Amino acid sequence: MKVLITGATGLIGQEIVKLCHQSDIDVHYLTTSKNKLTSEKNYKGYYWNPNLGEIDLDCFKDVEVIIHLVGASVAKRWTNNYKQEIVNSRVVTTNLILESLKKEKHAVRHIVSASAIGIYPDSFQNYYMESSLKEDTGFLGEVVKKWETAVNEFKTINIEVSLLRIGLVLSNKGGAFPKIANPIKQGIGAVFGDGKQWQSWIHIEDLARLFTYVVEEELTGLYNAVAPNPVSNYKLTHAIADHLAKKIVLPNVPKFMMKLALGDMHILLFGSQRVCSDKILETGFRFKHDNITQAIEDLIL
Ligand SMILES: NC(=O)c1ccc[n+]([C@@H]2O[C@H](COP(=O)([O-])OP(=O)(O)OC[C@H]3O[C@@H](n4cnc5c(N)ncnc54)[C@H](OP(=O)(O)O)[C@@H]3O)[C@@H](O)[C@H]2O)c1
């Protein structure tokens, strides 16, 4: 089988590429950086510039499934311009692929796209299933709604759609985890706010397995991509500290301070979403890392 991956060069993408190759799945990928282009037998890069509507149409050759990961990081300061980039890098890219396929003879039958649990409103009590009708009314909710709406348009050209609502990805190669773990290692880690906010996490290895599982099992629709046991920010911080044999000595970081420092983006640290993974479990998927203590042990050797 051959898949086309957007965002293949990123944190999650690289892990999925590795797994595809282990399963003899050939990978085409789209990149906005000409210096990231390679041309190996099972890993071929194609250039695109979504903002200018440019895409190398050869990327679709013999591709059956698209794994759509592209997106500007949400962990950079949310200026008005950058907010637009966060939206465009998801919506404009999705539209460009869709419009290109409308004009091309192709073999694509399925798109499996990243989405995010940021669609669910901040809550200490709610336990979110995919069927939840509650939607965050802030910027993150707006991004996810536009992103999912754009991806769902593939149904109009008879391409099956899967959306994986990803939680906090734990990886020792990048993303949030080193940013949380390193200060703790240096003895300057602290809990955010009262630490009660839910963090619905997923180990990167399980996330990559989940993407290839959905491709291979041809699952469609919405799936929460989080491990079965979300934890509080307090538990996450202390589990890392315990593993590193460090003490959390600093006082909790107050919300107003981070709001002053980060603006609207502080919600990434203080937002609370307890998200349920039952739907994917019911299809037979098994997580390798479903316990935070064990996941941390695996990530910090
Ligand atoms: N990591 C998490 O905790 C997490 C949680 C929830 C959802 N997600 C979602 O999962 C997806 C992948 O996440 P990731 O952590 O792997 O991200 P990442 O490491 O930042 O990689 C994203 C890739 O997207 C491309 N890209 C970045 N900015 C772009 C722009 N403005 N226009 C076009 N392409 C752009 C880049 O590829 P090229 O340089 O090759 O073009 C980059 O390698 C993202 O959509 C993210 O929102 C991630």
Side-chain angles (χ1 to χ4, degrees):
M1 197 204 301
K2 191 172 281 176
V3 299
L4 171 67
I5 307 185
T6 71
T9 61
L11 183 70
I12 301 170
Q14 289 179 57
E15 197 71 20
I16 295 176
V17 169
K18 207 164 71 186
L19 219 54
C20 284
H21 287 157
Q22 283 168 18
S23 309
D24 282 329
I25 297 173
D26 287 345
V27 174
H28 281 185
Y29 64 96
L30 281 164
T31 178
T32 56
S33 308
K34 286 188 175 156
N35 60 5
K36 293 186 192 164
L37 290 170
T38 57
S39 188
E40 291 159 34
K41 194 179 153 285
N42 60 359
Y43 187 59
K44 243 184 178 150
Y46 297 85
Y47 177 72
W48 68 339
N49 184 335
N51 290 332
L52 295 181
E54 288 175 16
I55 181 166
D56 183 343
L57 295 172
D58 288 345
C59 69
F60 297 117
K61 194 165 185 315
D62 301 329
V63 164
E64 287 176 61
V65 180
I66 298 175
I67 296 179
H68 190 37
L69 305 170
V70 74
S73 170
V74 295
K76 280 191 198 167
R77 203 176 173 87
W78 294 355
T79 60
N80 284 342
N81 278 349
Y82 193 65
K83 276 182 169 176
Q84 200 53 53
E85 189 174 337
I86 289 174
V87 174
N88 287 352
S89 61
R90 290 166 174 82
V91 175
V92 172
T93 53
T94 307
N95 293 344
L96 179 59
I97 298 173
L98 177 71
E99 292 309 315
S100 306
L101 287 176
K102 282 182 184 170
K103 294 179 209 143
E104 279 288 292
K105 199 168 174 291
H106 66 84
V108 179
R109 55 178 169 75
H110 190 182
I111 179 165
V112 182
S113 177
S115 176
I117 62 167
I119 185 107
Y120 301 122
D122 183 20
S123 162
F124 289 124
Q125 286 86 28
N126 291 340
Y127 191 31
Y128 291 116
M129 319 274 170
E130 293 80 350
S131 54
S132 166
L133 297 177
K134 297 194 170 95
E135 291 180 342
D136 175 60
T137 51
F139 175 63
L140 286 180
E142 181 200 327
V143 172
V144 178
K145 267 179 270 174
K146 287 182 176 165
W147 192 7
E148 291 192 349
T149 303
V151 177
N152 274 321
E153 279 297 298
F154 278 75
K155 292 178 189 165
T156 63
I157 57 166
N158 297 321
I159 292 179
E160 301 279 11
V161 172
S162 316
L163 288 156
L164 305 192
R165 289 178 171 169
I166 303 171
L168 176 71
V169 179
L170 301 186
S171 160
N172 50 22
K173 298 195 182 104
F177 186 70
K179 294 193 186 94
I180 303 171
N182 288 340
I184 298 175
K185 231 180 247 176
Q186 292 157 20
I188 51 167
V191 169
F192 287 102
D194 60 12
K196 286 186 188 156
Q197 64 274 35
W198 287 102
Q199 314 248 254
S200 294
W201 58 277
I202 182 166
H203 189 295
I204 186 127
E205 186 187 1
D206 278 332
L207 181 58
R209 288 177 57 242
L210 191 47
F211 268 93
T212 54
Y213 176 80
V214 167
V215 169
E216 287 172 340
E217 298 296 317
E218 299 180 19
L219 300 182
T220 58
L222 274 179
Y223 289 94
N224 290 332
V226 295
N229 298 300
V231 292
S232 66
N233 176 264
Y234 180 93
K235 166 96 189 184
L236 176 67
T237 311
H238 280 267
I240 298 171
D242 288 349
H243 181 71
L244 292 167
K246 294 280 181 186
K247 289 245 174 311
I248 301 291
V249 287
L250 292 181
N252 296 10
V253 184
K255 189 169 176 175
F256 79 88
M257 228 168 82
M258 294 314 285
K259 196 169 179 183
L260 277 177
L262 302 174
D264 289 351
M265 202 182 116
H266 77 285
I267 199 73
L268 295 177
L269 304 170
F270 293 88
S272 175
Q273 284 109 358
R274 184 168 171 239
V275 178
C276 176
S277 57
D278 282 359
K279 188 176 172 194
I280 195 70
L281 285 169
E282 280 159 15
T283 71
F285 182 79
R286 291 294 167 262
F287 287 82
K288 278 195 184 167
H289 310 278
D290 58 4
N291 169 289
I292 194 67
T293 309
Q294 180 275 328
I296 289 166
E297 276 169 22
D298 182 76
L299 292 166
I300 311 177
L301 292 172

